Amino acid sequence: MMRRRGPGLVGAVARTAVVAGTATAVSGRVARRQQNKYAAQEQEAAAAAPAAEPEYMAELEQLAQLRDQGILSPEEFEAKKKQILGV
């Protein structure tokens, strides 16, 4: 009678299933960690950078106040606004 070496077919299949299951579990854990990391980074970026007004908005608001106070004429306001907006 010939003696078998190794675990045989059933043992090889079982070992393959264990290795594949472990690889799947590790892969899933890595993917979850990456997703959580990127989600946290996005939240930090959103919190750190509030929606900033463009610089020209502040200038236009100041010009509008000067116009409303009568310091600038409507024509002067429109000319300066076009200059700021590059129109």
Side-chain angles (χ1 to χ4, degrees):
M1 185 177 256
M2 197 170 163
R3 187 170 180 186
R4 282 194 231 177
R5 294 185 184 197
L9 181 61
V10 173
V13 170
R15 183 176 300 127
T16 301
V18 168
V19 170
T22 302
T24 301
V26 170
S27 172
R29 185 172 59 214
V30 169
R32 280 191 301 279
R33 282 184 183 171
Q34 287 177 337
Q35 287 174 344
N36 291 338
K37 177 183 171 183
Y38 295 138
Q41 287 175 348
E42 287 177 6
Q43 288 176 349
E44 288 174 10
E53 277 189 351
E55 287 184 30
Y56 65 84
M57 290 299 294
E59 287 185 66
L60 291 175
E61 289 173 0
Q62 289 174 346
L63 286 174
Q65 289 176 355
L66 293 174
R67 180 199 58 206
D68 294 344
Q69 294 171 358
I71 298 171
L72 289 178
S73 69
E75 294 81 19
E76 292 171 322
F77 171 77
E78 288 299 322
K80 189 66 176 169
K81 181 174 84 170
K82 286 179 182 180
Q83 180 185 4
I84 291 170
L85 296 176
V87 180

